[in-house]
């Protein structure tokens, strides 16, 4: 393997959504390949046809591309080692299966599912690890079944599977890049099925053959595949192939340190996309689930290119990584703060257009959908939103009239004189030639000072009438963005709707 160009792969099964654990596996394979100036490949493992979901393959590739993980070779892109879908490679697996049968590394098994389950239950009752009992092991491999009986069954067309003959009394050893040396006793390894009765290979068999033929130098996958390693290594030995280097990633855990599962929260990448998380934040977050740059580094926000430059398998830990959504939310905020406005515009314009199909705005459409106005909203709200869609959904008052007013805030901020003060102050606002935040602030303070009032006497009521809520960005800058006409209209409308005598009592 020395001197070979690095090749890694992500090999999902098309059984549904892209799990966040699968995204991490794909990302680490991608980062490692690109760091080593190598190639990243997508292979679809669909040998279990009963679990295949229509459209899942394209969705998996689409989600990876959304995340910025672009394959050098894939079913869609092609390449020199295809086909990249296992159901299109059945003749290859049959050829290698026949070779193992001929070399006495595999044998036919005619056991029924009922017999297998009965044997499994018996072993469990005896406190044993369930394994195939080798009832159909032929005489030439040390079993008791004569070749004539096997030939009779085959000629009769009885259904069968092909199993691997695990050598007795051997030790299977390998060096994991993350975990170090690991050893298995062959007594713990089952005579796994290589070819199923439907003519499809099992994952273990097809995966090893394809990994070799597609010349992968490194296999990076989840910890749950660790028990499969001795089975795979035996196959490499039987074929006389050099195995690739392997690295098994730590488990993803819920905050209570149980294994990450849908029962305790979302595990599909699509779920997070629907909620509005960006690919930047998700990739950054997933990269940190098990990997860190090392001591002395305080960096937490990384671009994809920075991850490629700094990633190493040696900095991936063994311990489970906790999936902390609060961290993901924090990262999303950091990206919003630094993301160019033009990129945000591309996201929020379709959202605003969809809202405008449902609601009527009294503000000029050519203004509120224009880049100039939206840029002002973006810069004013960057520090306050958690998702890009919230530039519209969290502050709809920049586009639509308030439909109601925060009752608790009104009770707290209104006095018998509030409406009259507001009405009088509208004349001051109307007279402003430059409706800027600075001018509004100066005039408000000049207005309340002679009356012996604090600025808050007007600041809070103005915010409520202009936005409908009692919180938000700087009032003066919010009024400037909304513009004189909109602000005056909303104040006058609010004065008509809110009368002190009708306010609910505490």
């Amino acid at each position: 393997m020395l001197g070979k160009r690095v090749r890694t792969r992500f090999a999902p099964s098309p059984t549904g959504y892209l799990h966040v654990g699968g995204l991490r596996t794909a990302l680490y394979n991608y980062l490692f390949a690109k760091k080593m100036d190598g190639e990243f490949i997508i292979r679809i493992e669909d040998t279990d046809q009963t679990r295949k979901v229509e459209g899942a393959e394209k969705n998996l590739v689409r989600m990876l591309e959304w995340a910025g993980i672009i394959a050098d070779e894939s079913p869609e892109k092609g390449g020199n080692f295809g086909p990249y879908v296992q159901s299109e490679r059945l003749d290859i697996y049959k050829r290698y299966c026949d070779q193992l049968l001929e070399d006495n590394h595999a044998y036919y098994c005619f056991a029924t599912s009922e017999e297998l389950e009965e044997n499994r239950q018996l072993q469990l009752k005896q406190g044993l690890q369930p394994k195939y009992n080798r009832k159909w092991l032929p005489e030439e491999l040390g079993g008791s079944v004569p070749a004539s009986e096997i030939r009779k069954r085959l000629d009769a067309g009885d259904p069968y599977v092909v199993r691997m003959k695990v050598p007795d009394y051997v030790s299977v050893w390998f060096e994991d890049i993350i975990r170090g040396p690991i050893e298995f006793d062959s007594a713990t390894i089952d005579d796994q099925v290589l070819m199923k009765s439907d003519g499809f290979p099992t994952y273990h068999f097809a995966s090893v053959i394809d990994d070799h033929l597609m010349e992968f130098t490194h296999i990076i996958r989840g910890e749950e595949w660790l028990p499969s390693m001795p089975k795979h290594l035996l196959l490499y030995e039987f074929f006389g192939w050099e195995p690739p280097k392997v690295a098994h990633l730590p488990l993803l855990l819920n905050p209570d340190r149980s294994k990450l599962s849908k029962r305790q929260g979302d595990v599909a990448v699509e779920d997070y996309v629907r909620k509005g998380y960006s690919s930047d934040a998700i990739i950054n977050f997933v990269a940190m689930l098990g990997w860190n740059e090392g001591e002395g580094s305080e960096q937490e926000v990384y671009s994809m290119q920075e991850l490629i430059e700094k990633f190493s398998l040696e900095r991936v830990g063994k311990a489970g990584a906790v999936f902390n959504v609060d961290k993901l939310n924090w990262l999303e905020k950091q990206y919003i703060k630094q993301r160019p406005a033009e990129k945000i515009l591309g996201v929020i314009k379709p959202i605003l257009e969809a809202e405008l199909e449902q609601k009527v705005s009294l503000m000029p459409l050519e203004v509120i959908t224009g880049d100039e106005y939206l840029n002002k909203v973006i810069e004013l709200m960057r520090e306050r939103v958690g998702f890009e869609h919230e530039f519209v959904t969290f502050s709809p008052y920049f586009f639509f009239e308030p439909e109601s007013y925060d009752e608790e805030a009104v009770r707290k901020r209104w006095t018998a004189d509030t409406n009259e003060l507001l009405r009088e102050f509208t004349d001051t606002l109307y007279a402003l030639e430059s409706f800027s935040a600075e001018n509004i602030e100066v005039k408000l303070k000049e207005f309340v000072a002679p009356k012996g009032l604090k600025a808050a006497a007007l600041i809070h009521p103005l915010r409520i009438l202009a936005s409908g809520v009692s919180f938000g960005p700087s009032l003066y800058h919010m009024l400037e963005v909304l513009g004189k006409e909109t602000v005056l209209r909303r104040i006058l409308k609010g004065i008509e709707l809110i009368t002190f005598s009708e306010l609910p009592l505490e």
Side-chain angles (χ1 to χ4, degrees):
M1 191 178 298
L2 186 64
K4 281 188 177 180
R5 184 180 179 87
V6 167
R7 286 173 59 84
T8 68
R9 49 77 161 173
F10 178 56
S13 297
T15 56
Y17 57 79
L18 176 61
H19 192 285
V20 290
L23 177 62
R24 184 187 63 170
T25 298
L27 176 62
Y28 283 12
N29 276 279
Y30 177 80
L31 295 177
F32 181 75
K34 297 307 164 186
K35 170 73 175 289
M36 305 302 292
D37 194 27
E39 296 161 338
F40 169 74
I41 292 85
I42 293 176
R43 181 178 74 223
I44 301 299
E45 300 193 336
D46 62 343
T47 57
D48 189 345
Q49 293 284 295
T50 61
R51 298 178 61 225
K52 187 175 181 179
V53 174
E54 191 66 32
E57 175 188 326
K58 289 189 175 180
N59 181 63
L60 288 166
V61 174
R62 179 179 62 83
M63 289 308 305
L64 290 174
E65 291 180 345
W66 170 85
I69 301 174
I70 311 299
D72 296 294
E73 302 166 26
S74 69
E76 294 183 355
K77 187 171 291 188
N80 296 326
F81 296 86
Y84 295 90
V85 178
Q86 287 188 331
S87 59
E88 300 173 12
R89 300 170 61 86
L90 298 185
D91 58 329
I92 298 174
Y93 309 131
K94 185 180 185 308
R95 185 167 71 249
Y96 282 102
C97 182
D98 290 344
Q99 180 180 330
L100 290 179
L101 286 166
E102 185 177 334
D103 293 343
N104 285 333
H105 291 307
Y107 60 96
Y108 296 102
C109 172
F110 298 91
T112 65
S113 57
E114 292 78 14
E115 289 174 329
L116 293 172
E117 180 59 24
E118 181 180 346
N119 178 63
R120 179 177 176 276
Q121 292 298 329
L122 178 62
Q123 290 177 326
L124 287 173
K125 287 180 181 179
Q126 295 172 339
L128 302 174
Q129 175 186 332
K131 288 174 55 181
Y132 178 56
N133 61 7
R134 290 184 166 177
K135 175 182 176 181
W136 281 95
L137 189 67
E139 290 177 337
E140 61 266 31
L141 295 185
S144 58
V145 183
S148 58
E149 176 64 18
I150 294 172
R151 175 48 51 192
K152 176 183 174 184
R153 291 278 191 150
L154 291 172
D155 291 343
D158 290 354
Y160 65 85
V161 299
V162 176
R163 290 182 179 274
M164 178 175 74
K165 168 61 169 66
V166 175
D168 296 321
Y169 314 114
V170 299
S171 177
V172 181
W173 178 95
F174 71 99
E175 183 84 23
D176 190 281
I177 297 174
I178 295 172
R179 297 163 192 282
I182 299 177
E183 187 174 8
F184 291 87
D185 189 318
S186 65
T188 66
I189 306 171
D190 196 9
D191 281 7
Q192 65 172 328
V193 174
L194 302 178
M195 294 290 283
K196 297 177 287 186
S197 58
D198 61 1
F200 277 78
T202 58
Y203 156 78
H204 301 289
F205 188 47
S207 180
V208 166
I209 292 172
D210 290 343
D211 286 346
H212 172 73
L213 295 181
M214 294 180 180
E215 299 184 6
F216 293 119
T217 59
H218 295 76
I219 305 299
I220 305 167
R221 58 189 177 191
E223 179 182 314
E224 63 271 20
W225 296 110
L226 196 56
S228 304
M229 271 305 298
K231 304 175 183 180
H232 298 176
L233 289 171
L234 285 173
L235 285 171
Y236 278 104
E237 183 180 329
F238 294 160
F239 287 120
W241 297 337
E242 179 186 1
K245 296 182 183 298
V246 293
H248 288 88
L249 309 176
L251 290 174
L252 296 186
L253 306 175
N254 292 305
D256 64 2
R257 303 201 70 79
S258 60
K259 185 178 179 181
L260 187 68
S261 68
K262 197 170 181 61
R263 290 190 300 275
Q264 293 200 38
D266 295 320
V267 296
V269 177
E270 290 89 333
D271 291 334
Y272 292 93
V273 175
R274 280 192 291 269
K275 288 180 178 180
Y277 290 98
S278 64
S279 59
D280 294 327
I282 290 178
I283 285 297
N284 197 151
F285 175 69
V286 169
M288 306 292 279
L289 291 175
W291 171 84
N292 67 82
E293 191 178 342
E295 292 183 18
S297 173
E298 297 182 358
Q299 184 173 352
E300 294 186 275
V301 179
Y302 295 85
S303 67
M304 180 71 88
Q305 187 57 41
E306 286 176 317
L307 288 172
I308 291 172
E309 293 170 0
K310 298 183 177 183
F311 182 79
S312 72
L313 288 171
E314 287 72 22
R315 295 301 309 170
V316 176
K318 302 176 187 177
V322 175
F323 193 97
N324 184 348
V325 175
D326 291 339
K327 183 68 173 183
L328 175 58
N329 291 337
W330 179 85
L331 281 168
E332 186 66 48
K333 282 181 174 287
Q334 307 315 303
Y335 279 105
I336 288 176
K337 289 177 183 178
Q338 66 184 30
R339 188 168 291 137
E342 56 267 24
K343 287 192 69 176
I344 298 176
L345 283 174
V347 174
I348 67 175
K349 276 191 173 183
I351 298 171
L352 178 58
E353 290 167 2
E355 288 286 304
L356 286 167
E357 291 180 1
Q358 305 296 324
K359 302 176 184 178
V360 177
S361 177
L362 298 183
M363 302 173 70
L365 294 184
E366 65 274 14
V367 172
I368 64 173
T369 60
D371 290 0
E372 183 180 356
Y373 182 80
L374 291 175
N375 276 327
K376 292 177 182 178
V377 174
I378 289 169
E379 294 312 315
L380 193 55
M381 296 299 294
R382 275 187 189 274
E383 300 286 334
R384 305 190 69 85
V385 301
F387 300 97
E388 287 178 322
H389 67 78
E390 289 183 346
F391 283 108
V392 176
T393 59
F394 182 66
S395 49
Y397 47 81
F398 282 115
F399 314 101
F400 305 100
E401 305 298 293
E403 297 179 353
S404 61
Y405 305 105
D406 184 330
E407 288 187 8
E408 183 178 347
V410 170
R411 278 199 302 269
K412 183 176 180 181
R413 301 300 181 182
W414 250 252
T415 70
D417 301 322
T418 300
N419 280 352
E420 186 56 37
L421 285 170
L422 288 165
R423 185 176 285 107
E424 188 179 343
F425 187 58
T426 58
D427 294 334
T428 301
L429 292 177
Y430 183 79
L432 279 176
E433 290 188 11
S434 174
F435 201 72
S436 66
E438 294 77 8
N439 287 344
I440 296 170
E441 181 178 7
V442 168
K443 291 300 181 182
L444 186 146
K445 291 178 179 178
E446 289 178 353
F447 178 81
V448 297
K451 303 178 185 297
L453 298 173
K454 293 182 178 179
L458 273 182
I459 287 176
H460 298 296
L462 281 171
R463 179 184 296 282
I464 292 168
L465 295 188
S467 67
V469 294
S470 60
F471 55 88
S474 156
L475 170 72
Y476 306 116
H477 289 88
M478 181 181 77
L479 297 181
E480 177 185 336
V481 171
L482 286 170
K484 182 192 291 188
E485 181 181 339
T486 296
V487 170
L488 291 174
R489 181 180 67 247
R490 291 183 183 182
I491 293 174
L492 294 173
K493 174 187 174 184
I495 291 172
E496 295 298 320
L497 293 176
I498 299 175
T499 59
F500 182 72
S501 61
E502 295 176 352
L503 290 176
L505 298 176
E506 291 285 355

